[in-house]
Amino acid sequence: MISALNELVGRVEEDLAADPDLPALATALGTTEYHLRRMFSSLAGLPLSEYVRRRRMTVAAADVVRGEDDLLTIAVRHGYGSTEAFGRAFRAVHGATPREVRRAGGPLRTQPRLRFRLTVEGSTPMDTRITDRPAFRLIGHAARVPLVHQGVNPHIQRHIAALPQREHTRLKSLGDTDPAGLLQVCDDLAPDAPEGTELTYLHGVAVTRDTPAPDDLDAIEVPAGRWAVFRSAGPYPAALQGTWAATAAEWFPANPWRLRPGPSIVAVLDRAADFTTATCELWLPVEPAA
């Protein structure tokens, strides 16, 4: 995967004015576009689309400052059909218009070329298992919320807090298959979505495909497939988020599995009364790497 990500960065640099042909590249590298985007986003800390935009505007800024060409010529060179579209993209990255930068030489916010390197990590074994699951359903209360990478997501907190205590008890009584217990489910999220992107969050339980569900609950149909299950224990949500990051940085590069589309599921196995610590299982849908 390290080699694949560096190859991807190289393809981006070959033609910054065009978006890379990810489906073709993923096939050539023996992986999938979904997995490639997820791994890039997790390890680089930003979506591929944002990286391409920042690199494109970094190179474009040098052309603007040199002053050898008019702004329309520079805009077209970097894939924009008008100075207006180029100016909007330029300002979004640098915080100033091309004309302002041409006059003053800045401000500039440059994006260096990324290089992925293998480092010695993984001194702490990850508690993981692979399990095959038949098709099942996730039922509960769903809401669209913004993505938050670190810390507690206040939008999810409010969604859960709005449910009466008796509803948590009812949901627990409905669950009849693994993952067991009350679940935190994230679905319908782009593989390289930046922070703030909306996702579907469901607070609920897992039931078999044939289990009838009350009409007042939302449902997510989950097809049969394999899952990698990672256990975490410690401060919540820091330990869980650390485990999530380690799946991309350590586990996937070292194991013959890749992510496949599907919801990510967190099962809280045990927790302190104030939820400052918890033991959790993170369920991620996987398939054999080609």
Side-chain angles (χ1 to χ4, degrees):
M1 183 49 59
I2 297 298
S3 175
L5 291 173
N6 282 322
E7 176 69 18
L8 172 57
V9 169
R11 296 289 183 90
V12 169
E13 293 295 322
E14 287 175 5
D15 187 2
L16 283 169
D19 294 326
D21 186 352
L22 274 187
L25 178 59
T27 299
L29 295 172
T31 186
T32 64
E33 178 184 357
Y34 182 87
H35 186 68
L36 198 58
R37 284 186 181 275
R38 283 285 294 267
M39 291 299 100
F40 184 97
S41 177
S42 296
L43 295 177
L46 74 166
L48 175 62
S49 57
E50 177 64 15
Y51 172 72
V52 172
R53 185 171 71 105
R54 291 184 188 180
R55 282 295 296 150
R56 186 179 293 155
M57 289 300 105
T58 295
V59 176
D63 290 344
V64 170
V65 172
R66 277 195 295 267
E68 297 173 358
D69 298 306
D70 62 76
L71 294 181
L72 179 58
T73 299
I74 296 173
V76 172
R77 181 183 303 149
H78 293 283
Y80 295 88
S82 68
T83 55
E84 290 77 12
F86 175 67
R88 287 193 295 270
F90 192 95
R91 186 181 183 90
V93 171
H94 297 293
T97 67
R99 297 186 190 280
E100 290 169 340
V101 167
R102 174 159 281 184
R103 285 195 304 268
L108 296 175
R109 297 171 185 162
T110 59
Q111 171 64 59
R113 174 173 173 168
L114 286 178
R115 291 177 177 84
F116 295 90
R117 292 190 175 94
L118 182 65
T119 58
V120 178
E121 296 177 333
S123 58
T124 302
M126 296 184 69
D127 186 355
T128 312
R129 72 179 190 277
I130 304 294
T131 181
D132 285 299
R133 298 290 297 123
F136 62 95
R137 283 189 295 162
L138 297 161
I139 61 172
H141 297 276
R144 295 291 290 175
V145 301
L147 174 65
V148 174
H149 286 300
Q150 293 185 335
V152 175
N153 188 318
H155 309 279
I156 292 177
Q157 269 193 324
R158 287 194 292 269
H159 174 63
I160 297 174
L163 300 174
Q165 185 57 46
R166 65 179 180 276
E167 187 60 16
H168 300 286
T169 302
R170 180 176 76 125
L171 287 172
K172 285 182 181 179
S173 70
L174 294 173
D176 63 2
T177 191
D178 287 333
L182 283 175
L183 307 175
Q184 303 168 4
V185 180
C186 294
D187 193 28
D188 193 24
L189 180 68
D192 58 355
E195 183 150 336
T197 302
E198 282 199 340
L199 59 94
T200 297
Y201 175 83
L202 182 138
H203 182 74
V205 294
V207 297
T208 65
R209 187 171 54 181
D210 299 326
T211 299
D215 293 337
D216 64 328
L217 297 181
D218 301 297
I220 297 173
E221 300 291 335
V222 183
R226 282 178 174 157
W227 298 77
V229 185
F230 305 87
R231 181 174 289 227
S232 73
Y236 182 88
L240 174 62
Q241 290 170 339
T243 296
W244 205 310
T247 64
E250 301 179 32
W251 194 83
F252 280 106
N255 289 274
W257 301 95
R258 67 188 180 202
L259 287 165
R260 59 181 173 85
S264 59
I265 304 170
V266 173
V268 179
L269 306 181
D270 189 28
R271 68 180 181 90
D274 59 0
F275 222 149
T276 55
T277 62
T279 300
C280 303
E281 283 187 342
L282 169 62
W283 289 61
L284 297 179
V286 297
E287 62 188 6

